[in-house]
Amino acid sequence: MSALTVAGLSVRFRRRDGDVQAVTDLSLTLRRGELLAVVGESGCGKSVLAHAILDLLPANAVVTGSVSFADGVPFARGRDIGLIPQSPATALTPVRTGRSLLTETLRVHRRDMAADLVAKEAGLAPGDLDRYPHQLSGGMAQRLATALAIAPDPAVLLADEPTSGLDRPLADQTLDLLRRRCDDGGAVLLITHDLAAAERVADTVAVMYASRVAEHRPAAAFFAGPAHPYAAALLDARPDRAFAPIPGHPPMLTALPPGCPFAPRCARADAGCATLPAWTGGAACHHPLG
């Protein structure tokens, strides 16, 4: 059963020097028990997707398409859908301790659970709850933000770079926490540039490039052999693989090409790539691999 459905979502930011097409005609379904990892280079639209789902976009955003929760049932932020923000330091109230924030969150959502236990689950020492945000390291602030997101026990959790600022053991602990939530029947949309993190916990992977989804397949199949040339190049850029940089640069989101946006960087491109590709084998590509 679906936990979250995104259908034909497009997000455009109006600016004086030209509109920014941050998300283009994006459709995804997140099912209960599923961890869906959305990966891609910085600036491809991953974080905008999360904020669009939560209706947390600025006033200059123009949104089309739809987002529905649990087969069309209306949802409440925090209670039904939680967010682990990409920049936790800016999301925390500077004049309140972590304990105050976490205790209030548990009370408002009527969770009969000790703040220390939630902090421990998120990898934060209970003693650190008595500090103010400016007294926390970046990793501690990230773990506090994670604790605040899971405290209401939301059915769907959007995790926007939740391992940012964490060393590998703590990053793996956070990823395992997200995996457990799915194993217990929840659903997680993990936004990350860390492909090792996605490989560790994801059931499915969606690769974004220049505001669009380029590939969307089961994680095991994706990591065994990606179908889109961009996805293959992304994997080959990993240090544990070829460690080869992707040549060229992504297109400007103010001037997206009419055809395949990856064509100028793709060795397989031909004249046919001047038109948008249809989906073939889980990839939007005229010349999929394999």
Side-chain angles (χ1 to χ4, degrees), residues 88-150:
T90 62
L92 302 174
T93 306
V95 295
R96 298 182 62 183
T97 64
R99 184 176 301 279
S100 172
L101 293 169
L102 190 52
T103 299
E104 180 183 58
T105 300
L106 290 166
R107 176 180 57 80
V108 168
H109 292 282
R110 301 178 181 178
R111 295 287 319 280
D112 185 17
M113 190 174 185
D116 286 3
L117 290 178
V118 180
K120 186 176 180 181
E121 185 179 6
L124 187 67
D128 292 330
L129 286 177
D130 298 313
R131 300 185 182 189
Y132 290 91
H134 73 275
Q135 296 173 314
L136 300 174
S137 67
M140 289 177 180
Q142 184 70 60
R143 281 171 275 164
L144 175 58
T146 299
L148 290 167
I150 65 173

Side-chain angles (χ1 to χ4, degrees), residues 97-240:
T97 64
R99 184 176 301 279
S100 172
L101 293 169
L102 190 52
T103 299
E104 180 183 58
T105 300
L106 290 166
R107 176 180 57 80
V108 168
H109 292 282
R110 301 178 181 178
R111 295 287 319 280
D112 185 17
M113 190 174 185
D116 286 3
L117 290 178
V118 180
K120 186 176 180 181
E121 185 179 6
L124 187 67
D128 292 330
L129 286 177
D130 298 313
R131 300 185 182 189
Y132 290 91
H134 73 275
Q135 296 173 314
L136 300 174
S137 67
M140 289 177 180
Q142 184 70 60
R143 281 171 275 164
L144 175 58
T146 299
L148 290 167
I150 65 173
D153 193 26
V156 177
L157 188 61
L158 306 184
D160 191 359
E161 302 286 1
T163 59
S164 177
L166 303 182
D167 59 25
R168 195 74 252 173
L170 283 173
D172 289 345
Q173 181 178 341
T174 298
L175 293 169
D176 291 344
L177 181 157
L178 300 178
R179 181 66 259 172
R180 287 196 301 274
R181 294 191 66 82
C182 294
D183 294 341
D184 291 338
V188 173
L189 193 152
L190 170 64
I191 294 171
T192 183
H193 66 274
D194 185 349
L195 289 168
E199 188 171 18
R200 179 182 179 92
V201 295
D203 297 299
T204 51
V205 174
V207 182
M208 285 192 70
Y209 183 76
S211 83
R212 295 180 179 273
V213 172
E215 182 165 347
H216 185 195
R217 290 202 300 151
F222 170 77
F223 286 105
H228 197 286
Y230 169 67
L234 202 62
L235 285 176
D236 282 343
R238 288 174 54 172
D240 59 339

Side-chain angles (χ1 to χ4, degrees), residues 67-92:
V67 177
S68 58
F69 171 75
D71 300 315
V73 178
F75 65 86
R77 286 196 298 262
R79 185 188 67 215
D80 297 317
I81 298 185
L83 171 68
I84 302 176
Q86 184 175 10
S87 302
T90 62
L92 302 174

Side-chain angles (χ1 to χ4, degrees), residues 257-269:
C260 174
F262 188 62
R265 308 172 72 183
C266 182
R268 300 170 68 88

